[in-house]
Amino acid sequence: MQKPLSEQSKRYVIHASSWIICVLYFLIVYGLLLWSNIAKVTAAYDAIIGALTMTGISYLIYSTLQFYLPNNKNYWKLFSMAAIFSAISVLIVRILIIQLSPDDNLVYLDFSLPFRFVINFLIITCVMTINIFWNIQEELVFNKRRKDESEKMVRDAELYNLRQQLQPHFLFNSLNSIIALIGSKPTEARNMTFQLSDFLRGTMRKDEKQFTTVEEEINHLSLYLDIEKVRFGHRLSTEFEYEEDVLSGKIPVMILQPLVENAIKFGLYNVTDQVTIKTKILLENNLLSIEISNPFEQDQPEQKKGTGFGLTSIQRRLYLLFGRTDLLQTSVDGNTFISTLRIPQL
């Protein structure tokens, strides 16, 4: 995004522009006076006084327009202001030349007044126009930056809410499992409580982060799976397949948990047999590909009752982070449901 000039850079540009105007004004006026057969010394005094006056007027215009930006209906005020500044500059130059010029024959001042006014008016109008366009551009850049920052805050808040909405469901299930284990298996209930504590502690540490490494995400996911294995016992089995080079890849925080939770929900609910959830991770062409598969019963009631919130929230998070809607795809291969997640490596 384009950045506005800093105040120091802006001052440098203003000084440079003002002195360029000064030099150009001097050359124009000095050339015209010599062309009109005015003595070189008188022409030089006249041009120097006029150039310095116009430089001062330029600084004054800049200071004025810093605090005033006319709308489309008030541009006539600028022309009025330019005319007033032109008249003032002509008057100042006339007085100073009379006081400082060594030449007593200054008749040319009277017939040159209209030409001076026109030249000054054109230069001052150009200075005003440049300043106005500059200020408009700065305002547009500032408004765009403010809009982008506002959108980023809204996007971050939505991302945070999407992540937080996934936690209560898992937390309630875990607490219910702990309650169920307290009477029959107090040791397992205690271990599950510690595991849940470690998981939630890790979750809180990740709240301020948007991305993490694949290695950290797998470690955090393992805590979640340990808790779920206590709930489902021997029925839940997991497999991870990946090479070492993928562990340093970047991935959105806690993006895998809802996918695995979705696989557990539709793979184990209403099923008594052992279910293996497989996770395969590849890194190809700067694109991290994560495939999570689980078997399922096509006629089980849970398939019909699901709201699809987990997958929808992931789609939304990926869109907010990468601006793409094609990074999460699902497919069915016989009795196997496959979720494929693709994460660009920025």
Side-chain angles (χ1 to χ4, degrees):
M1 184 181 68
Q2 182 182 4
K3 294 182 179 180
L5 290 173
S6 65
E7 286 300 319
Q8 186 174 7
S9 300
K10 190 185 298 184
R11 284 195 293 270
Y12 288 151
V13 173
I14 294 166
H15 294 333
S17 302
S18 299
W19 286 108
I20 289 173
I21 292 171
C22 179
V23 172
L24 290 176
Y25 186 90
F26 173 83
L27 294 175
I28 292 172
V29 173
Y30 186 68
L32 288 174
L33 291 175
L34 290 181
W35 181 73
S36 302
N37 297 320
I38 305 298
K40 290 184 178 181
V41 176
T42 303
Y45 267 92
D46 192 318
I48 290 173
I49 292 172
L52 293 176
T53 302
M54 288 302 297
T55 302
I57 293 290
S58 298
Y59 279 112
L60 181 61
I61 290 172
Y62 167 75
S63 301
T64 302
L65 294 181
Q66 279 287 94
F67 306 100
Y68 173 69
L69 187 63
N71 55 37
N72 295 334
K73 297 180 180 180
N74 291 333
Y75 280 124
W76 63 270
K77 294 182 179 179
L78 293 177
F79 293 103
S80 301
M81 191 183 300
I84 293 172
F85 278 129
S86 299
I88 292 173
S89 63
V90 169
L91 179 61
I92 292 173
V93 170
R94 178 182 174 83
I95 293 173
L96 291 177
I97 290 175
I98 292 175
Q99 295 294 326
L100 301 176
S101 177
D103 192 347
D104 294 331
N105 184 17
L106 301 175
V107 179
Y108 75 93
L109 286 177
D110 294 329
F111 71 81
S112 67
L113 288 178
F115 300 101
R116 293 176 186 274
F117 180 84
V118 171
I119 293 172
N120 291 6
F121 180 80
L122 292 176
I123 291 177
I124 290 173
T125 301
C126 288
V127 172
M128 285 185 168
T129 302
I130 292 172
N131 272 277
I132 288 172
F133 277 111
W134 187 349
N135 291 337
I136 290 175
Q137 176 66 16
E138 282 197 322
E139 185 177 20
L140 290 175
V141 171
F142 175 76
N143 289 337
K144 186 177 185 303
R145 182 172 59 182
R146 184 173 59 182
K147 179 182 177 183
D148 291 343
E149 290 175 351
S150 176
E151 290 177 349
K152 183 179 183 300
M153 292 176 64
V154 173
R155 186 169 64 248
D156 290 345
E158 185 174 353
L159 283 169
Y160 179 80
N161 286 333
L162 286 171
R163 280 161 49 183
Q164 295 307 308
Q165 289 178 54
L166 296 170
Q167 295 302 317
H169 172 71
F170 163 71
L171 180 60
F172 295 148
N173 285 340
S174 299
L175 292 175
N176 288 333
S177 298
I178 291 172
I179 292 172
L181 290 171
I182 287 176
S184 59
K185 300 178 180 179
T187 301
E188 290 189 13
R190 180 183 179 185
N191 292 336
M192 189 173 181
T193 302
F194 287 137
Q195 291 170 341
L196 180 61
S197 175
D198 291 339
F199 176 82
L200 294 178
R201 188 180 298 110
T203 299
M204 288 188 290
R205 283 198 298 265
K206 292 174 180 288
D207 277 346
E208 300 300 323
K209 299 168 60 177
Q210 289 288 11
F211 289 88
T212 186
T213 63
V214 173
E215 183 175 15
E216 290 181 355
E217 186 71 2
I218 290 177
N219 291 337
H220 191 69
L221 183 62
S222 297
L223 291 173
Y224 165 75
L225 289 173
D226 288 342
I227 297 172
E228 292 294 69
K229 286 177 181 178
V230 174
R231 290 181 58 207
F232 294 102
H234 70 280
R235 294 197 298 125
L236 174 59
S237 175
T238 59
E239 293 181 5
F240 286 87
E241 181 182 345
Y242 56 83
E243 300 292 337
E244 292 295 325
D245 60 333
V246 306
L247 295 179
S248 60
K250 296 297 182 180
I251 187 173
V253 170
M254 296 180 64
I255 197 76
L256 296 183
Q257 182 190 328
L259 285 176
V260 175
E261 186 175 354
N262 187 74
I264 291 174
K265 176 180 179 181
F266 293 105
L268 276 83
Y269 286 17
N270 298 325
V271 176
T272 58
D273 297 332
Q274 179 177 348
V275 171
T276 300
I277 296 175
K278 299 180 180 179
T279 303
K280 183 178 181 180
I281 308 175
L282 296 173
L283 180 60
E284 295 178 342
N285 300 323
N286 212 33
L287 190 69
L288 191 68
S289 177
I290 303 170
E291 182 182 283
I292 298 175
S293 60
N294 64 277
F296 72 100
E297 297 291 337
Q298 296 187 6
D299 58 347
Q300 62 175 273
E302 285 293 336
Q303 290 289 350
K304 300 176 182 178
K305 289 171 22 181
T307 62
F309 171 76
L311 297 179
T312 302
S313 68
I314 295 174
Q315 285 275 25
R316 183 60 180 166
R317 279 190 66 189
L318 293 172
Y319 176 76
L320 291 172
L321 289 171
F322 301 103
R324 293 175 56 177
T325 58
D326 61 338
L327 297 178
L328 176 63
Q329 297 177 351
T330 59
S331 60
V332 176
D333 183 9
N335 286 339
T336 301
F337 184 84
I338 302 172
S339 300
T340 304
L341 182 67
R342 292 181 175 87
I343 306 297
Q345 298 301 288
L346 303 178

